[in-house]
Each structure stands twice: as C-alpha cells, then as structure tokens.
C-alpha cells in the first residue's frame, strides 16, 4: 500500500501517514497501530548510503538474484554453476553470497579458508579466476563451524556493506545468491538494488508440491516488490546417471544387502555391451501435479528448464569446481548450459569477443 509518496504497511491503521512521513508514529491516526513505535523511531527520508551503492553498481551491467522459496533445492548450486559458466564464456562475473546464516558459496567455488582483503578502493573480492570474483560472509568467519546468530537489522547492515564497500570493478554480471524464503535479506537486497537497475530473479525449485507451494510465494513476493522473474529452474528433476555408474544390490527379506555390481556389469559387457552406454532415469519426487512447468503456466512466469539430479554435479559442488570443464557431468551440464543460453537470449546479451593471442 502507498499513501502519496510514502509506503504504508498492510496492517496499518486507516489514514496512516506513511512510514517515511515526518508524522509517522506520531499522528492521531497512529494511535494503537502495531507499527507505531517502529515508525516513530525509524530514520526518515532517503537512505544516504544509496548514493554510494548506486556509484558502486554503476560499473555492473547486469544484476541477477537467485532465489528459492524452499531450502535444499539446489539454489546455491545453480548460482555457482551459473557463475562458472558465464565466466567460462568470457564474461566478467561477480558472485555475491547474502545467505548470511548458511553461506555455501565459498565451499562450492573451492574458496574455503580464504579471507577478504582491504584496499584503498574498498573490500576486494576473492577470485577463482581473473574474471570470477566472490564475496561472502563465509570469508569473515573465524572458524567454518562458527554460527552466525544475527537479527534482521544486522543482516541488513552487512548486505548494505557488501554493496557499498566491495570493489568489483567492471562487471558484466553480478549474481546474488540469496537465502530461501522472503525475509529481511530479500527485502533489503531488492530495495538497495532497484535504484541501480536490476534485471530480475531466477527462482529455483524441485518438482514436488511441498517445494512448489513455497516457490509460488516467492513468485508472489517478486510481483509485489516489482522484481521481474527471469524464469524458474526445476532442479533435481529425476535421478539421471549412466547405467555403468549405478550400484546393483541383492536385498534379502531381512534387509541384508549383497553387492552385485561387478556381476551385473560383467553380464552386460559379455551379452549386451551397448547397455553400458545407456543413461538410467528415475523419478525421485512426485511430479503428478505438473512440476515447475505447470506452476509457471499458472502464474504467468517463464520456465527456463529442468536439471536432473546428477551425482556428478553433486560431486562437483562438493569439490568446488565447474561442472562444465571435465565432461564428467554428462547429464546435468548440457541441461544447465541450455538454461543459461536461454537466459542470455532473454536478456539479449551477446557473447563477449575473445581476443586472440597477439591481437
């Protein structure tokens, strides 16, 4: 809700003057409002740090948020591999981790144990390659097992500090990995970046309803705050891996397991060797309701594609490396590549020209 130029909370009293009004929390209309004390004590007017953030972000061409309504759907994996892929194409890329309580990005980029350094230009990102820089609170913790027990205002403060104090230089893309949900961190990052121009959000889900219920809320959040939804990625869309990589067991009635893998593979090699080139697929989650594609159709947002649950992609994330480099992620890498190509097409971003040696 809005009152003239001022924002009005949904649970505000009638005739609310607005949260940024000089009479906020003080007028007769504020009596008994649950927000009265917060409005009366909150600073008024535009945030002076926004000017600094706008100046910092002026050198960033595209800003993309990666969101999810539900935790554990592979949002950080998508953020990490998106950044690896864009950097591999020759773009200048920054990856900002604002998952304050659960920073996974240092692990997934192979940067555990690294620290932030200060220069006369500000905080310097930690670099994977010369064209892929990373910033995360994970670099600031004294020990990787250290818990971050912060309330909203302190989380918002560190997000603001990342935006105004980190010197990224010229970037083609800034990918922002957000925590699951629609809480303080999401409101803050959208408010801070909207003044600088933000392309939109990629939303990650898994196929089953227990995830899609929360992802619908995430889409609703984006629409309410005016954040374009660039598309939805359905991750873990069926277990998919080469047949030769499976383990085969003989399970007795008592639950005892006997490994039959070598026997099965030997039978295949001798009798049907062409089977060793096949890929096994199994639905892990219930997709009877239509999955992410159906949800996108219902809510009027783009569907970017599906990424299978690939053990090799999980291993790449654990080892902090790109899934595109060594050919091991033979089922997930092509799916991710197609999604990223679709995203670039939607954003109308041409590939950078790669200068040849001596040019």
């Amino acid at each position: 809700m809005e009152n003239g130029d001022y924002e009005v909370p949904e649970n505000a009293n009638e005739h609310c003057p607005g949260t940024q009004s000089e009479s906020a929390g003080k007028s007769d209309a504020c009596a008994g409002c649950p927000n009265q004390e917060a409005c009366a004590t909150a600073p008024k007017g535009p945030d002076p740090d926004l000017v600094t953030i706008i100046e910092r972000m002026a050198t960033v061409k595209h800003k993309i948020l990666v969101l999810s309504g539900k935790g554990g759907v592979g949002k950080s994996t998508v953020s990490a591999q998106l950044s690896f892929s864009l950097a591999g194409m020759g773009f200048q890329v920054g990856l900002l981790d604002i998952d304050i309580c659960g920073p996974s990005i240092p692990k997934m980029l192979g940067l555990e144990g690294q620290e932030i350094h200060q220069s006369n230009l500000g905080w310097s990102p930690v670099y994977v390659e010369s064209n892929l820089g990373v910033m995360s609170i994970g670099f600031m913790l004294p020990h990787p097992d250290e818990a971050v027990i912060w309330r909203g205002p302190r989380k918002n403060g560190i997000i603001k500090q990342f935006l105004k104090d980190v010197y990224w230089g010229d970037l083609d893309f800034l990918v922002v990995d957000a925590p699951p949900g629609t809480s303080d961190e999401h409101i803050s990052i959208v408010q801070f970046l909207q003044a600088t121009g933000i392309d939109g959000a990629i939303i990650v889900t898994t196929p089953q309803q227990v995830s899609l219920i929360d992802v619908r809320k995430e889409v609703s959040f984006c629409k309410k705050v005016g954040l374009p939804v660039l598309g939805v990625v359905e991750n873990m869309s069926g277990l998919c891996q080469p047949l030769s990589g499976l383990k085969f067991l003989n399970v007795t009635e008592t639950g005892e397991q006997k490994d039959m893998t070598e026997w099965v593979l030997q039978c295949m090699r001798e009798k049907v060797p062409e089977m060793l080139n096949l890929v096994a697929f199994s639905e892990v989650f219930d997709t009877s309701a239509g999955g992410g594609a159906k949800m996108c159709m219902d809510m009027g947002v783009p569907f970017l594609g599906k990424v299978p649950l690939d053990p090799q992609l999980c291993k790449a994330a654990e080892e902090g490396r790109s899934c595109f480099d060594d050919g091991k992620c033979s089922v997930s890498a092509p799916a991710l590549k197609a999604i990223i190509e679709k995203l670039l097409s939607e954003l109308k971003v041409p590939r950078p020209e790669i200068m040849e040696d001596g040019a």
Side-chain angles (χ1 to χ4, degrees):
M1 295 174 59
E2 293 185 358
N3 183 355
D5 295 327
Y6 301 123
E7 181 181 350
V8 175
E10 291 186 359
N11 62 343
N13 289 354
E14 190 178 4
H15 307 304
C16 171
T19 56
Q20 293 298 310
S21 167
E22 289 298 327
S23 59
K26 303 172 185 175
S27 75
D28 293 341
C30 299
C33 177
N35 308 299
Q36 184 175 13
E37 183 178 353
C39 289
T41 57
K44 305 297 186 294
D47 187 342
D49 287 329
L50 276 179
V51 176
T52 307
I53 292 173
I54 291 170
E55 290 174 352
R56 281 289 193 198
M57 292 293 109
T59 59
V60 181
K61 294 179 183 175
H62 299 282
K63 307 169 196 73
I64 298 173
L65 268 61
V66 182
L67 308 175
S68 67
K70 176 72 71 177
V73 299
K75 169 189 53 60
S76 294
T77 299
V78 170
S79 296
Q81 297 304 325
L82 171 62
S83 301
F84 274 130
S85 178
L86 292 172
M89 294 177 186
F91 292 107
Q92 296 291 327
V93 182
L95 175 53
L96 174 59
D97 180 7
I98 63 164
D99 193 342
I100 307 303
C101 295
S104 304
I105 291 300
K107 172 73 173 175
M108 292 187 174
L109 273 291
L111 298 174
E112 285 184 297
Q114 299 293 319
E115 297 180 354
I116 298 170
H117 298 286
Q118 184 92 23
S119 73
N120 58 345
L121 296 173
W123 288 354
S124 296
V126 179
Y127 284 89
V128 182
E129 303 285 350
S130 60
N131 65 333
L132 177 52
V134 181
M135 180 55 66
S136 170
I137 196 172
F139 300 137
M140 305 168 69
L141 300 178
H143 189 275
D145 295 338
E146 189 79 16
V148 179
I149 309 173
W150 290 358
R151 294 187 185 274
R154 196 169 179 193
K155 290 180 182 179
N156 297 342
I158 191 67
I159 291 171
K160 180 187 285 187
Q161 196 164 5
F162 281 155
L163 293 175
K164 71 185 184 71
D165 290 347
V166 176
Y167 178 70
W168 296 100
D170 293 331
L171 288 183
D172 295 303
F173 288 94
L174 178 64
V175 178
V176 181
D177 184 54
T182 55
S183 55
D184 289 345
E185 296 95 322
H186 307 82
I187 297 169
S188 295
I189 193 71
V190 172
Q191 287 181 339
F192 294 148
L193 286 183
Q194 273 183 332
T196 74
I198 182 169
D199 292 83
I202 296 171
I203 301 178
V204 183
T205 185
T206 46
Q208 80 278 33
Q209 283 296 305
V210 73
S211 174
L212 292 169
I213 287 170
D214 290 336
V215 169
R216 287 175 180 270
K217 296 181 178 69
E218 197 78 35
V219 174
S220 177
F221 166 82
C222 291
K223 291 180 177 180
K224 284 184 177 180
V225 299
L227 177 64
V229 177
L230 299 174
V232 172
V233 174
E234 183 179 285
N235 195 28
M236 306 184 199
S237 186
L239 175 63
C240 198
Q241 69 178 110
L243 196 62
S244 58
L246 291 176
K247 187 174 183 179
F248 297 88
L249 302 175
N250 184 7
V251 183
T252 67
E253 293 181 357
T254 60
E256 183 182 353
Q257 298 179 352
K258 183 179 180 181
D259 190 344
M260 305 295 291
T261 305
E262 187 51 44
W263 177 79
V264 172
L265 292 178
Q266 184 61 31
C267 289
M268 289 185 189
R269 282 191 287 265
E270 292 176 356
K271 299 179 180 179
V272 278
E274 59 271 20
M275 285 188 65
L276 295 172
N277 298 321
L278 297 179
V279 172
F281 176 85
S282 175
E283 292 282 7
V284 178
F285 301 110
D286 180 17
T287 60
S288 59
K294 176 66 164 53
M295 184 210 69
C296 288
M297 189 181 304
D298 293 343
M299 302 199 74
V301 295
F303 182 63
L304 290 175
K306 301 179 180 182
V307 180
L309 180 56
D310 179 3
Q312 288 297 327
L313 176 58
C314 300
K315 189 173 182 182
E318 284 289 305
E319 296 176 354
R321 56 180 173 82
S322 169
C323 73
F324 304 102
D325 291 344
D326 55 15
K328 292 181 180 179
C329 301
S330 58
V331 294
S332 56
L336 281 164
K337 204 74 171 178
I339 287 169
I340 294 165
E341 292 287 359
K342 191 172 181 179
L343 176 67
L344 292 176
S345 176
E346 183 177 327
L347 294 173
K348 296 180 173 60
V349 178
R351 285 177 177 251
E353 295 184 9
I354 306 297
M355 299 295 289
E356 296 181 3
D357 292 342

